[in-house]
Amino acid sequence: MYVYAGPPELLAQVRPGVMGAPIASSADIDGLTPDDEPFTYVVDLEGTLRIAPRRSEHVACAGGRPVLAAGEIAFERVHGEWGVTEVSNQSTGYCPDPASWREVAEALDRAGIARPDGFTATFVFRHCPGCGELNVVKDEDYVCVFCGCGLSGLSGLSGP
Ligand SMILES: [Zn+2]
């Protein structure tokens, strides 16, 4: 479970009861406009995938609540059924581990939406123990880009 850890002013803009659209089946994607891709998504605490237009903040998509997973997702329609073409764990508000894929896969499987075998883009987030800034770790380079401190390389599944 991931609790929102981004800027407080974004959390303050969340309106009660306004969340991303729940996706329980392929048909739930029909009414969404392709221009909104890739969508912002969260998997809520009930395990439901919720998506919102890409400019939406994850914390707004989640109604301000903790999530099981968060990131960006894109769909493509093949033979009348929607499938996932791209999906990542990119959310600097929630900083989900690569291991959150399991929750994304379960939510998509329950909705009957075809998916890849894992994130098509995986991000590793680390708060620097020295300066406190949030780093997005690339190429397993576990060094703070702001101050040069070493970052913990430990992560749920894929750490070195
Ligand atoms: Zn630092």
Side-chain angles (χ1 to χ4, degrees):
M1 187 182 90
Y2 303 96
V3 176
Y4 177 71
E9 58 268 28
L10 296 180
L11 183 58
Q13 289 170 15
V14 174
R15 283 167 294 159
V18 180
M19 300 174 74
I23 303 299
S25 72
S26 178
D28 287 339
I29 301 171
D30 286 346
L32 304 168
T33 61
D35 290 348
D36 286 335
E37 288 195 303
F39 296 96
T40 290
Y41 80 84
V42 300
V43 177
D44 68 20
L45 295 182
E46 287 72 46
T48 302
L49 181 74
R50 290 179 176 272
I51 67 176
R54 64 181 164 186
R55 279 175 297 279
S56 309
E57 296 293 337
H58 288 101
V59 67
C61 189
R65 299 173 64 208
V67 300
L68 299 177
E72 295 192 329
I73 193 166
F75 302 94
E76 184 178 51
R77 194 172 200 161
V78 178
H79 303 306
E81 292 290 324
W82 290 99
V84 174
T85 53
E86 290 174 46
V87 56
S88 78
N89 66 327
Q90 185 173 18
S91 167
T92 53
Y94 286 103
C95 302
D97 278 332
S100 63
W101 169 251
R102 192 179 62 235
E103 311 294 344
V104 179
E106 282 181 15
L108 288 168
D109 289 350
R110 225 178 357 255
I113 296 170
R115 59 167 176 84
D117 292 332
F119 287 124
T120 54
T122 304
F123 295 81
V124 176
F125 301 96
R126 287 289 181 273
H127 279 99
C128 174
C131 69
E133 291 288 342
L134 177 65
N135 282 260
V136 181
V137 178
K138 296 186 194 83
D139 303 325
E140 303 197 344
D141 185 14
Y142 288 86
V143 175
C144 178
V145 297
F146 301 96
C147 75
C149 254
L151 304 170
S152 166
L154 298 175
S155 77
L157 277 183
S158 61

